[in-house]
mmCIF file with all atom_site columns, all heavy atoms in Angstrom:
data_model
loop_
_atom_site.group_PDB
_atom_site.id
_atom_site.type_symbol
_atom_site.label_atom_id
_atom_site.label_alt_id
_atom_site.label_comp_id
_atom_site.label_asym_id
_atom_site.label_entity_id
_atom_site.label_seq_id
_atom_site.pdbx_PDB_ins_code
_atom_site.Cartn_x
_atom_site.Cartn_y
_atom_site.Cartn_z
_atom_site.occupancy
_atom_site.B_iso_or_equiv
_atom_site.pdbx_formal_charge
_atom_site.auth_seq_id
_atom_site.auth_comp_id
_atom_site.auth_asym_id
_atom_site.auth_atom_id
_atom_site.pdbx_PDB_model_num
ATOM 1   N N   . TRP B 1 34 ? -14.802 15.969 -3.600 1.00 0.00 ? 43 TRP B N   1
ATOM 2   C CA  . TRP B 1 34 ? -13.908 14.849 -3.049 1.00 0.00 ? 43 TRP B CA  1
ATOM 3   C C   . TRP B 1 34 ? -13.555 15.385 -1.612 1.00 0.00 ? 43 TRP B C   1
ATOM 4   O O   . TRP B 1 34 ? -13.319 16.460 -1.305 1.00 0.00 ? 43 TRP B O   1
ATOM 5   C CB  . TRP B 1 34 ? -12.524 14.855 -3.678 1.00 0.00 ? 43 TRP B CB  1
ATOM 6   C CG  . TRP B 1 34 ? -12.550 14.070 -5.012 1.00 0.00 ? 43 TRP B CG  1
ATOM 7   C CD1 . TRP B 1 34 ? -12.312 14.625 -6.225 1.00 0.00 ? 43 TRP B CD1 1
ATOM 8   C CD2 . TRP B 1 34 ? -12.622 12.605 -5.041 1.00 0.00 ? 43 TRP B CD2 1
ATOM 9   N NE1 . TRP B 1 34 ? -12.273 13.474 -7.057 1.00 0.00 ? 43 TRP B NE1 1
ATOM 10  C CE2 . TRP B 1 34 ? -12.556 12.276 -6.468 1.00 0.00 ? 43 TRP B CE2 1
ATOM 11  C CE3 . TRP B 1 34 ? -12.908 11.597 -4.184 1.00 0.00 ? 43 TRP B CE3 1
ATOM 12  C CZ2 . TRP B 1 34 ? -12.631 10.969 -6.866 1.00 0.00 ? 43 TRP B CZ2 1
ATOM 13  C CZ3 . TRP B 1 34 ? -13.083 10.324 -4.624 1.00 0.00 ? 43 TRP B CZ3 1
ATOM 14  C CH2 . TRP B 1 34 ? -12.963 10.029 -5.941 1.00 0.00 ? 43 TRP B CH2 1
ATOM 15  N N   . TYR B 1 35 ? -13.745 14.384 -0.758 1.00 0.00 ? 44 TYR B N   1
ATOM 16  C CA  . TYR B 1 35 ? -13.456 14.604 0.646  1.00 0.00 ? 44 TYR B CA  1
ATOM 17  C C   . TYR B 1 35 ? -12.362 13.617 1.209  1.00 0.00 ? 44 TYR B C   1
ATOM 18  O O   . TYR B 1 35 ? -12.263 12.387 0.665  1.00 0.00 ? 44 TYR B O   1
ATOM 19  C CB  . TYR B 1 35 ? -14.609 14.286 1.654  1.00 0.00 ? 44 TYR B CB  1
ATOM 20  C CG  . TYR B 1 35 ? -15.642 15.391 1.792  1.00 0.00 ? 44 TYR B CG  1
ATOM 21  C CD1 . TYR B 1 35 ? -16.660 15.602 0.808  1.00 0.00 ? 44 TYR B CD1 1
ATOM 22  C CD2 . TYR B 1 35 ? -15.627 16.152 2.937  1.00 0.00 ? 44 TYR B CD2 1
ATOM 23  C CE1 . TYR B 1 35 ? -17.680 16.615 0.942  1.00 0.00 ? 44 TYR B CE1 1
ATOM 24  C CE2 . TYR B 1 35 ? -16.529 17.251 3.016  1.00 0.00 ? 44 TYR B CE2 1
ATOM 25  C CZ  . TYR B 1 35 ? -17.550 17.429 2.106  1.00 0.00 ? 44 TYR B CZ  1
ATOM 26  O OH  . TYR B 1 35 ? -18.443 18.364 2.223  1.00 0.00 ? 44 TYR B OH  1
ATOM 27  N N   . LYS B 1 36 ? -11.535 13.955 2.153  1.00 0.00 ? 45 LYS B N   1
ATOM 28  C CA  . LYS B 1 36 ? -10.605 13.049 2.777  1.00 0.00 ? 45 LYS B CA  1
ATOM 29  C C   . LYS B 1 36 ? -10.963 12.760 4.105  1.00 0.00 ? 45 LYS B C   1
ATOM 30  O O   . LYS B 1 36 ? -11.291 13.780 4.951  1.00 0.00 ? 45 LYS B O   1
ATOM 31  C CB  . LYS B 1 36 ? -9.193  13.681 2.724  1.00 0.00 ? 45 LYS B CB  1
ATOM 32  C CG  . LYS B 1 36 ? -8.019  12.850 3.415  1.00 0.00 ? 45 LYS B CG  1
ATOM 33  C CD  . LYS B 1 36 ? -6.744  13.496 3.497  1.00 0.00 ? 45 LYS B CD  1
ATOM 34  C CE  . LYS B 1 36 ? -5.711  12.808 4.028  1.00 0.00 ? 45 LYS B CE  1
ATOM 35  N NZ  . LYS B 1 36 ? -4.391  13.363 4.114  1.00 0.00 ? 45 LYS B NZ  1
ATOM 36  N N   . GLN B 1 37 ? -10.989 11.599 4.656  1.00 0.00 ? 46 GLN B N   1
ATOM 37  C CA  . GLN B 1 37 ? -11.306 11.264 5.980  1.00 0.00 ? 46 GLN B CA  1
ATOM 38  C C   . GLN B 1 37 ? -10.233 10.466 6.602  1.00 0.00 ? 46 GLN B C   1
ATOM 39  O O   . GLN B 1 37 ? -10.002 9.336  6.224  1.00 0.00 ? 46 GLN B O   1
ATOM 40  C CB  . GLN B 1 37 ? -12.622 10.469 6.028  1.00 0.00 ? 46 GLN B CB  1
ATOM 41  C CG  . GLN B 1 37 ? -13.155 10.276 7.457  1.00 0.00 ? 46 GLN B CG  1
ATOM 42  C CD  . GLN B 1 37 ? -14.471 9.506  7.593  1.00 0.00 ? 46 GLN B CD  1
ATOM 43  O OE1 . GLN B 1 37 ? -14.659 8.579  6.738  1.00 0.00 ? 46 GLN B OE1 1
ATOM 44  N NE2 . GLN B 1 37 ? -15.257 9.917  8.632  1.00 0.00 ? 46 GLN B NE2 1
ATOM 45  N N   . SER B 1 38 ? -9.385  11.078 7.469  1.00 0.00 ? 47 SER B N   1
ATOM 46  C CA  . SER B 1 38 ? -8.441  10.377 8.197  1.00 0.00 ? 47 SER B CA  1
ATOM 47  C C   . SER B 1 38 ? -8.867  9.992  9.677  1.00 0.00 ? 47 SER B C   1
ATOM 48  O O   . SER B 1 38 ? -9.743  10.748 10.178 1.00 0.00 ? 47 SER B O   1
ATOM 49  C CB  . SER B 1 38 ? -7.095  11.399 8.353  1.00 0.00 ? 47 SER B CB  1
ATOM 50  O OG  . SER B 1 38 ? -6.787  11.734 7.046  1.00 0.00 ? 47 SER B OG  1
ATOM 51  N N   . ALA B 1 39 ? -8.208  9.104  10.160 1.00 0.00 ? 48 ALA B N   1
ATOM 52  C CA  . ALA B 1 39 ? -8.472  8.577  11.494 1.00 0.00 ? 48 ALA B CA  1
ATOM 53  C C   . ALA B 1 39 ? -8.409  9.761  12.505 1.00 0.00 ? 48 ALA B C   1
ATOM 54  O O   . ALA B 1 39 ? -7.438  10.477 12.454 1.00 0.00 ? 48 ALA B O   1
ATOM 55  C CB  . ALA B 1 39 ? -7.610  7.515  11.956 1.00 0.00 ? 48 ALA B CB  1
ATOM 56  N N   . LYS B 1 40 ? -9.387  9.979  13.374 1.00 0.00 ? 49 LYS B N   1
ATOM 57  C CA  . LYS B 1 40 ? -9.323  10.977 14.452 1.00 0.00 ? 49 LYS B CA  1
ATOM 58  C C   . LYS B 1 40 ? -9.326  12.341 13.883 1.00 0.00 ? 49 LYS B C   1
ATOM 59  O O   . LYS B 1 40 ? -8.913  13.340 14.651 1.00 0.00 ? 49 LYS B O   1
ATOM 60  C CB  . LYS B 1 40 ? -8.084  10.828 15.404 1.00 0.00 ? 49 LYS B CB  1
ATOM 61  C CG  . LYS B 1 40 ? -7.772  9.344  15.817 1.00 0.00 ? 49 LYS B CG  1
ATOM 62  C CD  . LYS B 1 40 ? -8.691  8.961  17.072 1.00 0.00 ? 49 LYS B CD  1
ATOM 63  C CE  . LYS B 1 40 ? -8.237  7.565  17.490 1.00 0.00 ? 49 LYS B CE  1
ATOM 64  N NZ  . LYS B 1 40 ? -9.312  6.970  18.212 1.00 0.00 ? 49 LYS B NZ  1
ATOM 65  N N   . LYS B 1 41 ? -9.665  12.552 12.584 1.00 0.00 ? 50 LYS B N   1
ATOM 66  C CA  . LYS B 1 41 ? -9.778  13.954 12.142 1.00 0.00 ? 50 LYS B CA  1
ATOM 67  C C   . LYS B 1 41 ? -11.054 14.186 11.510 1.00 0.00 ? 50 LYS B C   1
ATOM 68  O O   . LYS B 1 41 ? -11.721 13.369 11.091 1.00 0.00 ? 50 LYS B O   1
ATOM 69  C CB  . LYS B 1 41 ? -8.657  14.224 11.018 1.00 0.00 ? 50 LYS B CB  1
ATOM 70  C CG  . LYS B 1 41 ? -7.164  14.322 11.632 1.00 0.00 ? 50 LYS B CG  1
ATOM 71  C CD  . LYS B 1 41 ? -6.303  14.587 10.455 1.00 0.00 ? 50 LYS B CD  1
ATOM 72  C CE  . LYS B 1 41 ? -4.804  14.626 10.885 1.00 0.00 ? 50 LYS B CE  1
ATOM 73  N NZ  . LYS B 1 41 ? -3.998  15.100 9.760  1.00 0.00 ? 50 LYS B NZ  1
ATOM 74  N N   . PRO B 1 42 ? -11.558 15.581 11.479 1.00 0.00 ? 51 PRO B N   1
ATOM 75  C CA  . PRO B 1 42 ? -12.743 15.812 10.840 1.00 0.00 ? 51 PRO B CA  1
ATOM 76  C C   . PRO B 1 42 ? -12.671 15.594 9.329  1.00 0.00 ? 51 PRO B C   1
ATOM 77  O O   . PRO B 1 42 ? -11.523 15.501 8.756  1.00 0.00 ? 51 PRO B O   1
ATOM 78  C CB  . PRO B 1 42 ? -12.859 17.407 11.140 1.00 0.00 ? 51 PRO B CB  1
ATOM 79  C CG  . PRO B 1 42 ? -11.969 17.750 12.202 1.00 0.00 ? 51 PRO B CG  1
ATOM 80  C CD  . PRO B 1 42 ? -10.854 16.680 12.128 1.00 0.00 ? 51 PRO B CD  1
ATOM 81  N N   . LEU B 1 43 ? -13.730 15.424 8.760  1.00 0.00 ? 52 LEU B N   1
ATOM 82  C CA  . LEU B 1 43 ? -13.816 15.443 7.256  1.00 0.00 ? 52 LEU B CA  1
ATOM 83  C C   . LEU B 1 43 ? -13.183 16.639 6.611  1.00 0.00 ? 52 LEU B C   1
ATOM 84  O O   . LEU B 1 43 ? -13.441 17.763 7.031  1.00 0.00 ? 52 LEU B O   1
ATOM 85  C CB  . LEU B 1 43 ? -15.285 15.365 6.784  1.00 0.00 ? 52 LEU B CB  1
ATOM 86  C CG  . LEU B 1 43 ? -15.982 14.056 6.993  1.00 0.00 ? 52 LEU B CG  1
ATOM 87  C CD1 . LEU B 1 43 ? -17.544 14.154 6.830  1.00 0.00 ? 52 LEU B CD1 1
ATOM 88  C CD2 . LEU B 1 43 ? -15.599 12.908 6.034  1.00 0.00 ? 52 LEU B CD2 1
ATOM 89  N N   . GLU B 1 44 ? -12.403 16.409 5.649  1.00 0.00 ? 53 GLU B N   1
ATOM 90  C CA  . GLU B 1 44 ? -11.732 17.526 4.964  1.00 0.00 ? 53 GLU B CA  1
ATOM 91  C C   . GLU B 1 44 ? -12.330 17.585 3.517  1.00 0.00 ? 53 GLU B C   1
ATOM 92  O O   . GLU B 1 44 ? -12.076 16.702 2.707  1.00 0.00 ? 53 GLU B O   1
ATOM 93  C CB  . GLU B 1 44 ? -10.165 17.181 4.931  1.00 0.00 ? 53 GLU B CB  1
ATOM 94  C CG  . GLU B 1 44 ? -9.401  17.138 6.143  1.00 0.00 ? 53 GLU B CG  1
ATOM 95  C CD  . GLU B 1 44 ? -8.021  16.940 5.960  1.00 0.00 ? 53 GLU B CD  1
ATOM 96  O OE1 . GLU B 1 44 ? -7.397  17.417 5.006  1.00 0.00 ? 53 GLU B OE1 1
ATOM 97  O OE2 . GLU B 1 44 ? -7.422  15.940 6.642  1.00 0.00 ? 53 GLU B OE2 1
ATOM 98  N N   . LEU B 1 45 ? -12.752 18.811 3.191  1.00 0.00 ? 54 LEU B N   1
ATOM 99  C CA  . LEU B 1 45 ? -13.250 18.975 1.844  1.00 0.00 ? 54 LEU B CA  1
ATOM 100 C C   . LEU B 1 45 ? -12.037 19.344 1.002  1.00 0.00 ? 54 LEU B C   1
ATOM 101 O O   . LEU B 1 45 ? -11.232 20.198 1.301  1.00 0.00 ? 54 LEU B O   1
ATOM 102 C CB  . LEU B 1 45 ? -14.287 20.077 1.773  1.00 0.00 ? 54 LEU B CB  1
ATOM 103 C CG  . LEU B 1 45 ? -14.760 20.551 0.409  1.00 0.00 ? 54 LEU B CG  1
ATOM 104 C CD1 . LEU B 1 45 ? -15.600 19.351 -0.280 1.00 0.00 ? 54 LEU B CD1 1
ATOM 105 C CD2 . LEU B 1 45 ? -15.693 21.824 0.489  1.00 0.00 ? 54 LEU B CD2 1
#
Side-chain angles (χ1 to χ4, degrees):
Chain B
W43 279 116
Y44 279 85
K45 177 182 178 182
Q46 188 178 34
S47 304
K49 314 276 186 203
K50 290 186 177 180
L52 284 164
E53 299 175 46
L54 179 62

